[in-house]
């Protein structure tokens, strides 16, 4: 669904994008970098037991106008509407998360990403993968390390199955696995419900936030806060429960809904 001119302008203002928007690689790369630097990955709604709507108006209100963030279905859902409005052609895909998952552990297809058709060929755009989000555009080409505004990434392909990998301290680590089967809106609704409402989903009992501005990454998991600066050792610290909402506001740029309830939930799981 295309956005209104008003909503598209508000999105551009939200991420600080002030150049002409065209359906080309330069625009796509600039949007991905600006979006991941500005709109935080966060799961406060599932953590607080609040619903997550994928309706276009709800995504614009939450992520653009209300200084909130979201997870992949919201982030890439909003981004898909933006791309469609600009005139990009793309196909929604689904992936199985492998980041920080034991080798061989089965995971569901609960990550949304986009395959964008560019004049140069197909490329991945994904603004919703938390602390290991790719802040650039990846050509759909196997076994070629590709530079991004942060770490290098690469794609590995075996029998039609693609794996995205990130280079961390010289080691290639998997982020997720996917194929090129197009996903429908109903697929997103099902995955979104499971992710946000199923008691087995870690998003319902673990607070997660991430943001990737230029040269660094901010990552929060419950009380554990890390700032990863490119080329340096990470700064890690354990927050006091009362600090979390302040850090979410200052470092992740989130207007926290119901701070008292957030603190109550964190105390219950600490």
């Amino acid at each position: 669904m295309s956005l209104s001119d008003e909503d598209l302008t508000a999105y551009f203002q939200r991420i600080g994008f002030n150049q002409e928007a065209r359906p080309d690689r330069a625009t796509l790369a600039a949007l991905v970098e600006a979006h991941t630097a500005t709109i935080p990955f966060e799961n406060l709604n599932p953590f607080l037991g609040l619903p997550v709507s994928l309706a276009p108006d709800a995504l614009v209100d939450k992520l653009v106008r209300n200084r909130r963030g979201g997870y992949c279905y919201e982030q890439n859902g909003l981004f898909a509407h933006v791309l469609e409005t600009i005139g990009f052609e793309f196909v929604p895909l689904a992936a199985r998360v492998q980041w920080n998952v034991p080798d061989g552990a089965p995971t569901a297809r609960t990550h949304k990403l986009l395959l964008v058709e560019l004049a140069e060929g197909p490329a991945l755009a994904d603004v919703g993968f938390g602390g290991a989000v790719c802040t650039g555009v990846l050509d759909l080409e196997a076994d070629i390390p590709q530079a991004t505004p942060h770490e290098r990434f690469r794609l590995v392909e075996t029998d039609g199955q693609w794996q995205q990998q990130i280079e961390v301290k010289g080691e290639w680590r998997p982020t997720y696995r996917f194929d090129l089967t197009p996903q429908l809106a109903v697929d997103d609704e099902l995955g979104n419900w499971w992710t946000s409402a199923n008691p087995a989903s870690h998003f319902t009992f673990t607070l997660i936030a991430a943001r990737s501005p230029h040269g660094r990454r901010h990552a929060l998991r419950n009380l554990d806060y890390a700032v990863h600066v490119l080329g340096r050792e990470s700064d890690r610290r354990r927050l006091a429960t009362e600090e979390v909402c302040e850090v979410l506001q200052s470092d992740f740029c989130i207007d926290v809904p119901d701070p008292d309830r957030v603190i109550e939930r964190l105390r219950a799981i600490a």
Side-chain angles (χ1 to χ4, degrees):
M1 174 180 172
S2 295
L3 301 179
S4 68
D5 289 344
E6 180 183 358
D7 287 345
L8 185 63
T9 297
Y11 172 78
F12 287 159
Q13 291 174 342
R14 170 82 160 101
I15 67 172
F17 180 84
N18 54 16
Q19 63 194 61
E20 183 178 358
R22 298 177 177 177
D24 58 25
R25 186 184 184 86
T27 295
L28 182 63
L31 289 173
V32 169
E33 182 176 8
H35 185 121
T36 52
T38 308
I39 301 181
F41 183 96
E42 51 107 330
N43 69 325
L44 280 161
N45 276 35
F47 186 68
L48 296 175
L50 302 174
V52 175
S53 173
L54 300 184
D57 289 347
L59 295 176
V60 171
D61 285 344
K62 182 170 181 270
L63 278 70
V64 176
R65 302 189 187 282
N66 293 334
R67 203 169 176 265
R68 287 285 307 280
Y71 53 62
C72 65
Y73 290 108
E74 300 169 279
Q75 299 273 4
N76 285 318
L78 171 64
F79 200 61
H81 296 311
V82 170
L83 296 187
E84 181 177 345
T85 306
I86 295 170
F88 284 95
E89 298 289 335
F90 60 88
V91 177
L93 302 178
R96 301 181 189 276
V97 173
Q98 297 179 301
W99 181 246
N100 291 332
V101 174
D103 289 343
T107 59
R109 292 160 60 96
T110 54
H111 177 63
K112 178 183 177 72
L113 64 152
L114 305 174
L115 182 67
V116 185
E117 296 294 338
L118 299 175
E120 301 86 349
L124 292 185
D126 180 359
V127 297
F129 196 67
V133 67
C134 180
T135 56
V137 176
L138 292 185
D139 294 319
L140 191 69
E141 297 181 357
D143 304 320
I144 300 175
Q146 301 184 47
T148 78
H150 288 75
E151 302 84 358
R152 293 198 305 171
F153 281 73
R154 73 178 181 185
L155 298 171
V156 177
E157 187 270 337
T158 305
D159 298 328
Q161 292 288 324
W162 293 80
Q163 184 184 69
Q164 185 192 81
Q165 300 177 348
I166 181 175
E167 186 180 32
V168 180
K169 296 182 178 179
E171 176 187 357
W172 289 104
R173 298 181 56 189
T175 56
Y176 50 73
R177 176 167 59 89
F178 64 97
D179 61 29
L180 304 184
T181 304
Q183 298 297 293
L184 305 177
V186 67
D187 299 318
D188 290 348
E189 290 290 349
L190 182 61
N192 179 59
W193 174 85
W194 195 97
T195 302
S196 65
N198 192 304
S201 169
H202 71 283
F203 278 4
T204 65
F205 56 80
T206 305
L207 177 61
I208 300 171
R211 191 171 68 88
S212 298
H214 181 72
R216 66 188 188 277
R217 294 183 184 271
H218 298 267
L220 177 72
R221 187 178 182 88
N222 290 331
L223 303 180
D224 295 316
Y225 179 39
V227 180
H228 308 289
V229 179
L230 296 180
R232 291 168 43 185
E233 289 296 317
S234 298
D235 179 20
R236 303 176 186 272
R237 63 189 178 103
R238 181 86 168 173
L239 300 176
T241 305
E242 293 74 16
E243 291 182 274
V244 170
C245 290
E246 179 181 342
V247 169
L248 288 171
Q249 177 84 23
S250 62
D251 293 5
F252 295 89
C253 305
I254 297 171
D255 284 346
V256 180
D258 199 348
D260 291 341
R261 175 64 175 151
V262 172
I263 292 174
E264 178 185 336
R265 289 280 288 120
L266 287 170
R267 284 176 175 160
I269 64 178

